[in-house]
Amino acid sequence: MTVDRLLDLAATINPGFYLIIAALPAAVARDAFTRAVALIGGPVLGLLAMLYPPVSGADVSRQLFLGFELSLYRSDSLSLIFGLGFVLAAVLGGIYSMHRRDRLQDAAGLVYAGAALGAIFAGDLITLVLFAELATLASALVVFAARTGPAYRAGLRFLTIQIIAGLLLTAGAALYGVEKGTFLIAELGGLWNGLIVGIIDPTSAGGMLILAGVGIKAAFPLVHNWLTDAYPNTTETGAVVLSPYTTTMAVYLLARFFAGYDPLIWIGAAMTIYPVFFAVMENDLRKVLAYSTNNQIGFMVCAVGIGSTLSINGAAAHAVAHIVFKGLLFMAMGAIQLRLGTTKASELGGLHRTMPWTALACLVGAASISALPFFAGYTSKTMIMTAAESGPGMFVVWLMLLFASAGVLEHSGIKIPFMAFFSHDSGKRPEEAPYNMLLAMGLSAGLCLIIGLYPGWFYQLLPFRDQAQEFLVQDLFSLSHILQQLQLLTFAVLAFMVLWWFGLYPPEKPGVILDVEWIWRKGAPMLGRALSKPARAGGRFVSVLTSSAIGGIQKASRQVFAADGLVSRKLPLSATAILALCILGVVMLFSMFR
Amino acid sequence: MNTGELLIFLALAVPLFAAAAIYAVGRMPDVRETLTIIACIALSVITISMFMRVGAGDPPTLTVARPLAGLEIAFRLEPLGALFALMASLLWGVNSLFSVGYMRGKREANQTRFYMCFALAMFAVMGIAMAANLFTLFIFYEVLTFSTYPLVTHTGDARARAAGRVYLATLVGASLVLFLPGIIGVQIVAGSTAFTQGGLLPGRVDATTGDILLLLLVFGAAKAALMPLHGWLPSAMVAPAPVSALLHAVAVVKAGVFAILKVSAYIFGPDLISTLPAATWLLWIAAGTIVIASVIAMTKDDLKSRLAWSTVGQLAYVTSAALLPAAAGLVAGGLHMLVHAFAKITLFMCAGAIYVATGASKVSEMRGLGRSMPIVFSCFLIGALCVIGLPPFAGMWSKFLLIKAAFGTREWFTAAAMVISSLLGLLYLAPVALRACWSRLAMDRHAPSSVRRRARTGCCGADDHSCSMCRAVPAGGWRRQLSCANRGEGAMSEGTQDVAPKEKPQLGEPGEHPLSVLLFSWMRGKLFFRLLMAGLSALGAVLIALEVVLSHRPVTSLVNMPGFFGIFGFLAFGIAVLSGWPFGKLMRRPEDYYDTRSGEAGRDR
Amino acid sequence: MIAFETLHAAPPALTAHAPLLMVVAPLIAACAAALAPSARVSWMISVTGSVFAAWMALAVAGEVARRGVVDYVIGGFAPPLGIALHIDGLGVMVALLVSSAGVMASLYSGHSLTTEVGAEKHTLVQSGFLLCQTGLLGLVATGDAFNAFVFLEVSSIGTYALVAIGEKRDRRALPAAFNYLIMGTIGATFYVIGIGFLYAATGTLNMADMAARLATLDDSSVVQAGFAFVVVGLGIKAAMFPLHGWLPGAYSYAPSLISIFLAATATKTSIYLMARFVFDVFPYGAAFGQAFVTWVLAPLAATGAIVCSLQAVFEKEIRRILAFSSVAQVGFILLGLSLATVGGASAGLFYLGAHALIKITLFMALGGVALSLGARRLGEFAGVAREAPWSATAFAIGAASLAGVPLTLGFLAKWRLIEAALQAGAIWVVVVLAIASLLTFLYVGRMLEAIFFRAAPAGAPRAREAPVGVLAPLWVLAGLNIWFGLDASLPEQLANSAARALLGAAP
């Protein structure tokens, strides 16, 4: 009986807490076994807690705290699919970083995953903000854990931008909650097709703030730079730990709060396009992957903006699939980073000779992200494309997505594996990745294939299950879809070969590509230098002015009042007598001519 | 005298008696400090039991004296005061423990005076916390000023004396010129200065009088350091760290904001406040204080000075809270007062500990110290995050409550200032700890790339145990390499030569992995490339053909045309790739582009 | 709280003649002291006389509380002809002040004189001191305007001589005494001229009669001229700014016994007399009285409070600081009185009492230390707190009280003053008070910083703790500062009844 009751109690705890609690042993453990138990066990516990009570779509745990009604744990099918993705990522990331005995990063990674998971299952805006901010802190620690100068500075920038997002989110949540009189998600909006989505009015002030905060976390255009800045500066495992959560959480929040908000369509479409061009130029392959993340999130944002059951299913599915295959690609790059200390394309090439397993995994990931049929990406992205295709007046958007699909193939499908593992031989012969990395990559690659080959179980988990089943049966493997996708990919690869053959493919050159980060990394310091001189001069002027004014007053009053000063100088007696007479006169005058 | 009154009496008597006793045994440091600690514990017990009793039954009241007709020195226990007393007494204990270490560590002179004045300050704080009327509050407020003056000037040098003068002149000046007339004004208007539930003044003042009184009372409590009366706080930083902790966390500034909270809650009351224009002006001033203080804090390299400016900003939060025309603001203000006290004392103790241990007082001198003082800097980070208001630390809640209250009363400026200041707080507080811990290699920006690369792999843990951890790994070739990297000496930079796989493959190139031979070796050479190209072309043709055959769609548009996807894919890919030429020319910069001419976004602080 | 109504301090036989005894006792003692065979005996006589006078003052206080006013006719001649003593609430307050200050000063004098004045002059000093006391008490007790002049001069002559005796320690005492003599004489002359005018107009010298007759005469320019001479003459005696030139020197260079007594009483009694004339003898409703108070007295008081505080801030000699402070505080008192409300007068008189107590404490503490140190300048007091902690602490208490630190009498005095000003709607007075208080705080701070927080320069003469004979009265006074700071009902009661006596009829 007690066991049952304990289990019931355990099931009312937000799954994120299990991961966060597991961070404690991970932070202090010095032996491999404890670490492994914490790194794997925490997420597994979270998974169990997540699955134990069947999805209810209701608040599992409500608390009253400081006068707020908090819902620490609320679960429905939308949360669940994202939660699954996070737990999966946590487990894979744990395995992947097992070789690296870095307690700080392990613990931070677990807290990060747990906090993101907690945010997914938060039933009210306050709990959500809390978890989101915690996730921010933990993620920044993951960046700092690289313990290098560039990582420190990148981490600081990352933290700053994330905190700005968090503050916007906080302020927005406070404002929106105050306006609506409740912070509970369940009370903010009604059901739509059986789910609470699109509940926040983005045109209200609070809604705008929330959208801005979430937008930064989702790396909307012009605020995307934290992503491409931080990821390449992490440790070889850091990017793997970092990549699944923040942006995906943002997608979840967009779906939950702003599904069907039209501007998102265009924002998403733009997000898919511009990273393509940056990725082509970029030399650092991990940075290419960061741009690729940006691009993939664009697909999801666009889908959320479309706001049909199909597109939201697509966004959720793509989010989870993306976690897996993008994780896989980052893992492959991480292995290279571990072995060679760099992922710059200009210094790589021909690594397949000694790292074939990694190369193979990378190829699976590339195929997945390129949405080759029967790989994970295809299963999810097709939904988005179909949703975009079917919408009225969506032609341009659809074309943009299609262009982006070709672009994805370029940077993630071809450039990543080709430049790293094939291309011209760099002469480097690094050792194959450690076993734990290979295991993690193998599992990820397996998942990519499983999702791609047997999408049925995956579709079961999607938010709108019935619609997903319908799509699975009617559309997913329809010949036209497969043909179209294959055509696109085949000819794109062909284009690559032609360009390569004729030497038209831009060479990989070392260098940094200018991005909006220029504004704060170069522009702001320049502005600061330009302004500092006049500002300092002005400040000096003011301080000199005040100090001389004070000094002047002091000096003047000293001259007047000091012992030998004007007032205090000894007057001759006659003077005092005359003074007395004067006053006498004044008094008399007043008395007589009143 | 019932229990409640006894508790009030004891809360006042214990620190006062402690001060006398400390003076008496001043010659014996051990006894003196033991006495201090005992007094702290006793006082904490008293305040805890007071705190437990609050809200149960009639609040105990103790009238000590009636100096003039209509004026009483009286004490009464109410929740806000009990909270303040509890906070102060607990922190006194903590701070005393710290003081013992600090003062002995630095071999400071006049330690007896230090401990005695500390106890006297606590006496004053207890009086302020439990004051039943403004008159009593004012009396103890002044006692606090005078009892802390010797602490501020503790070092006794010219700088300390100058700071002490500023300290006294500002605090006493404001209280004489503003606070006292304000209190007397209240006395005249209301015939009393008693703290009354719901406010003493409502119904007794017109708007103008109310405005004037509010301005007098809020600015008069200059301990709250509302601009422009904030100057004393940064200048008082010359005092030793425990004194700074006392000023910033335990007593002095908290007494200021506490006075404002009390005035707002019990003299004016939220209803009256909401009708007074002066409250709005003060809110703007507070908002300005929050932002300006944060900006100034960013420019300070001296750690304590930075913290002092941070305090100025944080106090304005509480002042704002007190002036928000909502009872919710008061709760938030009380909570923030408490939270900030605990966070700030942490920060100041850390600053003190760093100073005692290493002599570093400037932030720029603390780079890399996190390696040797991990606990101190971790504590600092926690305190900083708490001040900034990030979860899972308490500051989050008070800040959220404040922002919510500000939004609830539609005070946009206040809310915006709080949000902005949180961000600035992050920028000036967090890097202190972060840089100390993780910026050791920040100097290596121009070091040879081999070193940096080694660093980038993340295996450069300087301490021994990361090496030992690597050795403990059960098996796997990477262990050797990692240990190499750990041992340093650039092994990693020549990693490729270093890593000579043991096995000799039979096929393919020397050193090649068998799987690679199996999977990829046949791909090399131009022939394969041509074949692949041909194959792909054929596949493409087949696909288009298939589409023509299978598609039953009429060709109504370009998109429905067979082969559209293929052509689109080809063109799109081509465009994307070819764009790399012009864009690359346009936007590619040398790798050290951001590192040159201190191009990093701001110096890392 | 003492209920004066129930106070029967002396046997009825003495009580009946208490007003006279109060004045005469010091006079007799003065004669006796002059003839005393030794310094010791003269001191004992001095103490006895002072204590007896104080006792009688208490008895009078009881009588006044019961009857409102005590009129005593000397020798049975009725007022228009004979000399009458007339004591009301105001008089009682000042009488108590003077006589208790006398007790404290005489107790203190036992030790101070031995170091400050040659032994051969002790008897004379004590005699002069008692004479001075007689004058001041008589001034307070008398109901006759001309007698007031006589008593004023009696006290003044005593003090002129006593200031000059300070010559032994500081040559500057002589010019200071001379200065004092001339100014005092001018003041007295003005006063007596004024009385002459008034006598011409009313034909009486008895104040009560004068008041009755003046009520119908307020248009007479003779009366107005008389008024002008009286107030200006008393203004000089009260060290009203800018007629205070004599005071810093007189206070600074006199033997500390005299400084103490003068600081507590001399200006206070003149203020008493001025208040009596302005509000009581002259019909206050008369426009010229109001004009004087509003346009002359209040502005001069305010200017004095600020200017002299500033002078004190920049002054380097510690006793001159206190002297300037006294002039500034006279400004405070007059500001309170100039509000011309019962509250204002009460606050002003309360302040008067408080200031007397404060200044006597300060001068006594200073005297106690200076006895051994012989120091005058601020810098020379560095580190005194270490060597003479008891004196220094008492000084600190007095100084805190002067600055208006809470829990002291000075704070309550300031509180009442500001309260009265606010009640009268005189915001500008509040502003002046606040600024002057701030300045007060500054010079007090300077003194305390030197005494407590600065280390003595190497090789400087070491101060010794004052002897018990000094410390005992000193600590009684310091204790009173605190005690009244916690419970000021006694001075409050006195000040209230005094204000009622003064302005009872006025709105």
Side-chain angles (χ1 to χ4, degrees), chain B residues 1 9 24 28 43 115 123 140 181 232 251 281 292 364 396 408 437 476 502 512 532 552 584:
Chain B
M1 199 183 263
F9 174 77
M28 295 170 280
L43 189 61
Y115 287 107
F123 164 67
F140 284 91
W232 63 272
W281 308 334
I292 294 171
S364 53
M396 158 80 200
C437 289
K502 281 170 273 180
E512 191 169 353
L532 185 62
H552 304 293

Side-chain angles (χ1 to χ4, degrees), chain C residues 448-461:
Chain C
L448 290 186
E449 195 192 348
I451 293 176
F452 278 85
F453 295 106
R454 229 178 268 167

